Amino acid sequence: MLINVLDHGSTSQKINAAKKMFRKAKARHSIGDSSGYQLLKAEEKEKAITFDSSLPLKNTAKELNISPQQVMQANAIHQPDIVIGLDWPIRKLDNGIQKQLEFYKKLKFNIPWAFESFAWKNALVPHAQYFQPLQSYTLDHVDIFLNEIRGVHFDGVSMPVRTLKPLELALFLVSFYKRGITRVHLLGTSSLPVIVMCAYAAWNLFEWVSLDSTTWRYAADKMSFLNPLDLSRIDLRTSVHVPPTALNLCPCPFCNGQSFQAIQAITPRRDKLQMLREHNWLAIANLVNDLYANGYTIPNLEKELRFRCRNQRQVDSLINTLSVVDALKDCDISLLQTVLASNPKGRQRSRLVGRQTCFA
């Protein structure tokens, strides 16, 4: 169960609702997020943003106020197993110069917040593990940030992946592994490639891998049905023609054997929305469990993906990337980077796997 400070700890009403949710869910693990995503959204909407611990936590249509102290005060109420420090997320940008400016702009906040979050965590939630958020476009940015926050003893790292391609994500994960980081939380997407990377990493790189996103909800809000095999989307808006030959083979209890046309016709709209949210959440959860169950070796993972995915080129790319990672994860990161960059289509996959012991 993952909660965030602004949505679940900023008012007595939200606190009570979160407590009720915890009682009903009976989750084995709980994570307290710092609401960095809400801060990013507030920036995009040009809200007035402050970081004053003497003012109340706030996230309205026009204002947002949050601070490291308040993050840990809210976590002290719910006592999660893992807490994530406050950070200011970097935006999704394409221009290299803009990325550099954005990284250094946010770095001025993220460095002191790391120390403050860690100190307040120790004071208010001492039993919890502390995950340090990373906001980096490149591996060099990770180096810069971690060098600046030496003295912050984190149990794991938290990183958004919304700006990363699968190959780039693989490099970040191996970089964490080589630094001795053993616990990783990824946020921002629950796409098939990210889940595949997580399944492999959970078996072969880390002690703990977790991920979160609102894909299940946002897809449902757009009336999209997530295919339980590969999370591809089927548009079930009433204005869209769904051919009768398209069969819904999902066995989940929320579909209950309904055809796509029957789901498309559900009224009122809130009932259809609820059904899609429930189905989408379970589709993602089942995919995560199935890929993790087969993620201990790359051949097993490939076999599962070949069965599930219509896009076999995507499977080729993912398996090639993981095969190179598996062969070179203990080598210098620059070698892995070079091989992945020069071999995007997997032409040398079998040769690299065959030479794994040479690189080890």
Side-chain angles (χ1 to χ4, degrees):
M1 174 70 74
L2 184 140
I3 58 173
N4 75 76
V5 169
L6 288 170
D7 289 338
H8 303 101
S10 57
T11 67
S12 58
Q13 184 178 9
K14 291 178 178 179
I15 290 169
N16 290 333
K19 287 180 177 179
K20 181 179 179 181
M21 183 170 62
F22 269 116
R23 288 194 298 269
K24 286 193 172 185
K26 299 178 181 178
R28 286 186 297 156
H29 307 283
S30 56
I31 302 178
D33 195 8
S34 64
S35 293
Y37 180 73
Q38 284 78 0
L39 177 54
L40 177 65
K41 292 287 118 180
E43 178 186 16
E44 292 174 354
K45 295 176 181 178
E46 299 183 341
K47 294 183 183 181
I49 299 174
T50 54
F51 310 111
D52 191 338
S53 59
S54 68
L55 298 175
L57 277 168
K58 181 186 296 186
N59 187 21
T60 66
K62 295 183 178 181
E63 298 177 273
L64 183 146
N65 182 64
I66 194 169
S67 69
Q69 177 181 343
Q70 291 167 313
V71 167
M72 296 308 163
Q73 286 172 334
N75 280 317
I77 296 170
H78 296 298
Q79 295 289 311
D81 305 314
I82 297 170
V83 297
I84 299 174
L86 180 62
D87 66 326
W88 196 337
I90 53 177
R91 294 173 296 163
K92 188 174 182 178
L93 302 170
D94 297 320
N95 182 280
I97 295 176
Q98 289 179 329
K99 287 182 177 180
Q100 285 292 95
L101 294 173
E102 176 77 356
F103 170 72
Y104 282 104
K105 171 189 172 182
K106 303 297 176 60
L107 190 67
K108 291 185 293 185
F109 294 88
N110 290 334
I111 290 172
W113 285 355
F115 287 98
E116 293 176 44
S117 294
F118 181 60
W120 282 109
K121 176 265 170 193
N122 287 337
L124 299 174
V125 207
H127 77 282
Q129 296 181 50
Y130 177 69
F131 277 31
Q132 177 60 53
L134 302 178
Q135 296 293 337
S136 308
Y137 293 107
T138 67
L139 296 182
D140 287 341
H141 290 165
V142 176
D143 287 332
I144 292 168
F145 180 66
L146 291 182
N147 280 332
E148 291 289 341
I149 65 163
R150 282 175 295 180
V152 174
H153 302 292
F154 50 83
D155 301 286
V157 296
S158 169
M159 186 182 76
V161 297
R162 64 182 70 93
T163 64
L164 299 177
K165 297 176 182 177
L167 186 149
E168 295 170 322
L169 175 58
L171 286 170
F172 272 94
L173 293 177
V174 174
S175 172
F176 298 157
Y177 163 76
K178 293 180 74 64
R179 296 171 192 272
I181 293 169
T182 61
R183 292 173 175 256
V184 175
H185 178 73
L186 302 179
L187 58 148
T189 181
S190 47
S191 66
L192 177 71
V194 171
I195 295 172
V196 170
M197 292 288 174
C198 286
Y200 169 83
W203 281 103
N204 299 281
L205 300 179
F206 307 113
E207 295 176 6
W208 166 285
V209 178
S210 52
L211 67 159
D212 77 83
S213 79
T214 52
T215 299
W216 58 275
R217 180 163 61 85
Y218 283 140
D221 290 348
K222 295 180 180 180
M223 296 296 152
S224 290
F225 176 99
L226 296 183
N227 185 323
L229 290 176
D230 60 4
L231 303 186
S232 56
R233 299 189 183 193
I234 299 169
D235 191 342
L236 294 183
R237 289 176 295 172
T238 54
S239 59
V240 175
H241 172 68
V242 179
T245 53
L247 299 178
N248 176 22
L249 303 178
C250 178
C252 86
F254 306 113
C255 290
N256 197 27
Q258 298 181 84
S259 67
F260 288 130
Q261 291 81 4
I263 297 172
Q264 195 175 33
I266 291 175
T267 56
R269 187 180 185 278
R270 65 175 179 273
D271 290 350
K272 181 178 178 181
L273 183 63
Q274 179 71 7
M275 179 267 164
L276 287 173
R277 285 179 172 179
E278 292 171 333
H279 160 82
N280 288 348
W281 185 91
L282 189 58
I284 294 171
N286 286 342
L287 178 65
V288 169
N289 290 333
D290 290 346
L291 290 183
Y292 176 68
N294 291 279
Y296 55 94
T297 68
I298 294 177
N300 275 29
L301 194 56
E302 180 175 8
K303 182 179 179 181
E304 181 72 13
L305 289 172
R306 294 291 179 199
F307 162 75
R308 286 178 168 274
C309 299
R310 289 179 294 179
N311 187 345
Q312 292 293 303
R313 284 189 175 185
Q314 185 181 54
V315 176
D316 291 340
S317 177
L318 288 170
I319 294 301
N320 171 63
T321 297
L322 289 179
S323 297
V324 174
V325 166
D326 201 55
L328 302 181
K329 64 179 183 291
D330 293 309
C331 300
D332 188 272
I333 193 72
S334 60
L335 175 61
L336 176 61
Q337 196 165 11
T338 300
V339 174
L340 286 175
S342 63
N343 186 36
K345 295 183 180 179
R347 290 186 293 272
Q348 300 181 34
R349 175 186 156 214
S350 59
R351 179 172 69 82
L352 283 166
V353 172
R355 292 178 61 188
Q356 179 174 351
T357 54
C358 298
F359 286 119

